[in-house]
């Protein structure tokens, strides 16, 4: 780049009069070509923006640069920000509303502008009138799209203290022109990738729900058939146990049979509960009230097992759409799992809160935590690590299908690495956040008789 000369923004590249200028222009063109070549192969938006910033800092000899472009899916503003060399500046300060005077001037000019030149033209834009001089921004360069502004590159003054020249502005103009295509490509690629990811997740959810619905219908039918003979076997076992009290060895064997029968009975009971015909319609539910009722129901059992419950945030939660019984079943399951994870007792902390979209309830225990390889399978049907056949491995998979039926989700992690306790987080959309009550009317909760 050549030395200081009065900056005259947006001068055309054509019209080089001296061979020295022609050589410089060829050199610049070659540099721009190489830069744009390398940028066009980068499809990761963050890596691309970092590359743009580092190139600008290097090529222009400035002390800092920032760039803001459109976030995929956002149409009214530029808010995807990267910056280098500026300290203590919140990312949001660089954001640009596309309807703002600042955006309009940049879009109309479509070339780099000195901040001193742009300030008098945006006096109706108080944020940038204050912000640009305050942070020592010297130059702004738009990424111009045909219909609207695509991004903005901000730079600090040159490190050598020289003013920006016409050549600098021209060079930066060429780079931003090339870059804006690369940025468009990267953003498009990212949106496509995101859409593909969402599609895959939706398809997996569908397959899982289908599988669970089929499993539900089948299980309900089997459970129905198995339940009666099971009851009869248990009764007879009890009779035999009384008769055999004097024969310890046979009694041991019989007790083992009884344990196994109890296990079958537990599985059947859980399946019957989970897939019981439920004619209730989804309704607005106060999760806080459901949690209160669950704690009253479990208080005695938890206390007996040395579990203290600390709860907070149950009051004044927004309503959710769902069915009360299945939701209660979810919370009971999570509380009892926490109890099982703390065989020597401990504290179970249940907190509820809400943001713009979701009501979130967390169950945090002080138990054994979740092994890394178990995290993946936690919600799979029949996955259980509980000893002596005490677990059925159905609880969490049923919880997940219930919550997904309400448009919600459940996730689990260790509090702070394995062995530090686990936290299970339930998120359900709040009523005013566009939840779809019909979605919860799936046949997951319907038995064959419904
Ligand atoms: P079950 O309780 O019958 O085993 P679940 O589906 O409810 O079935 O749980 C599956 C498995 O998830 C449990 O066996 C246990 O390994 C793990 N798990 C559930 N809750 C916790 C918890 N709070 N802490 C650690 N592991 C847990």
């Amino acid at each position: 780049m050549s030395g200081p000369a009065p900056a005259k923004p947006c001068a055309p590249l054509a019209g080089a009069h001296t061979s020295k200028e022609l050589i410089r222009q060829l050199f610049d063109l070659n540099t721009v070509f190489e830069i744009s070549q390398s940028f066009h192969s980068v499809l990761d938006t963050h890596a691309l923006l970092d590359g743009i910033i580092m190139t600008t800092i290097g090529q222009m000899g400035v002390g800092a640069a920032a760039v803001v472009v459109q976030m995929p899916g956002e149409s009214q503003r530029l808010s995807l920000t990267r910056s280098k060399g500026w300290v203590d500046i919140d990312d949001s300060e660089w954001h640009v509303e596309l309807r703002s005077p600042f955006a309009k001037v940049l879009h109309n000019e479509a070339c780099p502008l000195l901040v001193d030149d742009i300030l008098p033209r945006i006096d109706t834009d108080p944020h940038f009138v204050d912000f640009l001089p305050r942070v020592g921004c010297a130059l702004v360069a738009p990424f111009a799209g045909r219909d609207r502004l695509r991004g903005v590159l901000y730079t600090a003054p040159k490190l050598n203290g020289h003013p920006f020249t016409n050549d600098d502005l021209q060079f930066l103009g060429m780079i931003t022109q090339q870059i804006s295509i690369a940025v468009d490509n990267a953003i498009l690629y990212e949106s496509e990738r995101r859409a593909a990811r969402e599609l895959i997740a939706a398809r997996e959810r569908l397959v899982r729900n289908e599988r669970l619905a089929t499993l539900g219908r089948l299980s309900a039918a089997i459970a129905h058939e198995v339940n009666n003979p099971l009851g009869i076997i248990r009764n007879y076992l009890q009779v035999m146990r009384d008769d055999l009290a004097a024969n310890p060895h046979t009694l041991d064997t019989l007790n083992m049979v009884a344990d196994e029968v109890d296990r079958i009975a537990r599985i059947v009971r859980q399946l019957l509960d989970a897939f019981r015909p439920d004619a209730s319609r989804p309704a607005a539910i106060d999760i806080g009230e459901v949690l209160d009722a669950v704690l009253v129901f479990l208080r005695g059992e938890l206390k007996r097992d040395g579990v203290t419950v600390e709860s907070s945030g149950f009051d004044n939660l927004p309503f959710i759409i769902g069915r009360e019984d299945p939701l209660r079943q979810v919370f009971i399951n999570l509380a009892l799992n926490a109890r099982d994870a703390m065989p020597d007792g401990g504290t179970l902390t249940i907190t509820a809160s809400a943001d713009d979209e979701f009501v979130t309830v967390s169950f945090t225990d002080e138990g054994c935590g979740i092994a890394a390889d178990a995290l993946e399978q936690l919600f799979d049907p029949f996955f259980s690590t509980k000893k002596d056949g005490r677990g059925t491995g159905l609880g969490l998979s049923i919880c997940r299908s219930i919550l997904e039926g309400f448009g919600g989700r459940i996730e689990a992690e260790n509090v702070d690495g394995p062995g530090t306790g686990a936290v299970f987080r339930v998120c359900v959309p709040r009523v005013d956040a566009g939840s779809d009550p019909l979605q919860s009317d799936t046949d997951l909760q319907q038995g064959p008789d419904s």
Side-chain angles (χ1 to χ4, degrees):
M1 239 153 295
S2 54
K8 200 165 113 237
C10 309
L13 178 66
H17 297 304
T18 66
S19 61
K20 195 170 153 216
E21 196 177 342
L22 198 61
I23 289 168
R24 183 196 59 75
Q25 289 196 358
L26 279 174
F27 174 77
D28 281 358
L29 275 176
N30 192 41
T31 312
V32 169
F33 177 73
E34 278 177 10
I35 291 171
S36 66
Q37 277 281 90
S38 63
F39 281 151
H40 280 290
S41 58
V42 182
L43 287 172
D44 176 317
T45 315
H46 283 135
L48 179 66
L49 298 183
D50 286 343
I52 291 170
I53 289 176
M54 293 318 288
T55 304
T56 306
I57 289 175
Q59 295 286 329
M60 304 290 291
V62 296
V67 65
V68 61
V69 297
Q70 199 181 338
M71 185 93 75
E74 193 158 35
S75 59
Q76 301 302 319
R77 58 211 294 257
L78 309 174
S79 61
L80 184 57
T81 311
R82 304 293 278 185
S83 79
K84 276 243 158 7
W86 263 298
V87 282
D88 292 338
I89 297 177
D90 194 275
D91 273 0
S92 63
E93 301 253 45
W94 304 105
H95 294 182
V96 178
E97 296 296 331
L98 289 175
R99 288 210 190 96
S100 66
F102 179 60
K104 282 185 184 145
V105 171
L106 287 181
H107 179 53
N108 291 341
E109 291 297 329
C111 65
L113 293 168
L114 295 173
V115 166
D116 287 345
D117 290 338
I118 200 172
L119 285 179
R121 302 172 62 184
I122 55 166
D123 51 5
T124 52
D125 197 329
H127 170 67
F128 280 103
V129 167
D130 163 68
F131 173 64
L132 295 175
R134 176 160 52 86
V135 297
C137 178
L139 189 65
V140 285
F143 302 166
R146 230 179 321 130
D147 47 344
R148 64 194 161 74
L149 189 65
R150 301 297 234 238
V152 180
L153 178 67
Y154 305 84
T155 84
K158 286 187 177 190
L159 285 171
N160 62 12
H162 292 166
F164 288 107
T165 66
N166 187 34
D167 292 343
D168 294 329
L169 301 192
Q170 208 174 316
F171 180 77
L172 194 63
M174 284 192 289
I175 289 193
T176 45
Q177 208 175 12
Q178 290 301 317
I179 285 172
S180 68
I181 299 167
V183 170
D184 271 359
N185 282 346
I187 290 175
L188 192 69
Y189 179 74
E190 198 140 296
S191 329
E192 297 274 314
R193 214 168 42 171
R194 209 160 60 158
R197 266 201 309 265
E198 277 166 12
L199 201 68
I200 289 170
R203 209 166 46 201
E204 279 172 358
R205 258 199 319 272
L206 201 69
V207 169
R208 205 164 52 226
N209 281 352
E210 277 292 315
R211 222 172 37 210
L212 281 168
T214 311
L215 175 72
R217 279 191 292 270
L218 197 67
S219 309
I222 295 173
H224 200 70
E225 293 303 318
V226 170
N227 206 29
N228 288 345
L230 205 55
I232 296 168
I233 293 172
R234 287 174 84 188
N235 288 343
Y236 278 119
L237 276 173
Q238 188 54 45
V239 173
M240 289 165 74
R241 193 186 268 153
D242 297 342
D243 288 350
L244 288 169
N247 187 340
H249 178 68
T250 317
L251 190 59
D252 279 353
T253 315
L254 199 64
N255 281 340
M256 271 155 51
V257 175
D259 284 349
E260 290 308 305
V261 170
D262 280 348
R263 177 172 140 70
I264 298 173
R266 269 201 310 276
I267 295 180
V268 169
R269 172 74 7 232
Q270 207 163 354
L271 288 173
L272 280 174
D273 284 349
F275 300 106
R276 189 178 38 219
D278 181 358
S280 67
R281 302 285 306 164
I285 294 179
D286 181 340
I287 283 201
E289 281 178 10
V290 178
L291 285 164
D292 280 333
V294 165
L295 288 187
V296 169
F297 177 69
L298 291 178
R299 185 174 295 145
E301 189 170 347
L302 294 177
K303 194 169 167 206
R304 187 198 63 208
D305 295 330
V307 175
T308 313
V309 179
E310 283 182 4
S311 60
S312 62
F314 291 7
D315 296 331
N316 303 321
L317 289 169
F319 282 100
I320 61 122
I321 296 282
R323 279 193 289 252
E324 211 166 306
D325 275 355
L327 197 61
R328 193 175 300 131
Q329 195 184 337
V330 169
F331 294 147
I332 290 176
N333 196 74
L334 294 180
L336 292 183
N337 272 351
R339 185 267 322 262
D340 291 346
M342 300 187 286
D344 300 325
T347 303
L348 165 62
T349 309
I350 308 177
T351 54
S353 60
D355 61 17
D356 291 348
E357 275 186 86
F358 290 98
V359 176
T360 300
V361 184
S362 303
F363 285 67
T364 308
D365 61 54
E366 301 176 321
C368 52
I370 306 159
D373 55 345
L375 269 170
E376 294 268 293
Q377 306 167 63
L378 224 48
F379 297 96
D380 289 350
F382 301 112
F383 172 78
S384 177
T385 58
K386 291 184 185 166
K387 298 276 177 309
D388 305 326
R390 281 191 310 110
T392 61
L394 286 171
L396 289 177
S397 75
I398 290 171
C399 288
R400 180 162 72 176
S401 89
I402 289 172
L403 293 166
E404 288 184 352
F406 298 164
R409 62 175 190 273
I410 178 167
E411 52 204 27
E413 61 184 352
N414 285 309
V415 174
D416 192 15
T420 55
V423 50
F424 283 75
R425 220 165 280 119
V426 166
C427 304
V428 190
R430 49 190 286 174
V431 166
D432 44 0
S435 58
D436 176 7
L438 292 179
Q439 203 192 344
S440 54
D441 209 17
T442 64
D443 56 358
L444 283 180
Q445 297 302 310
Q446 309 289 315
D449 310 333
S450 60

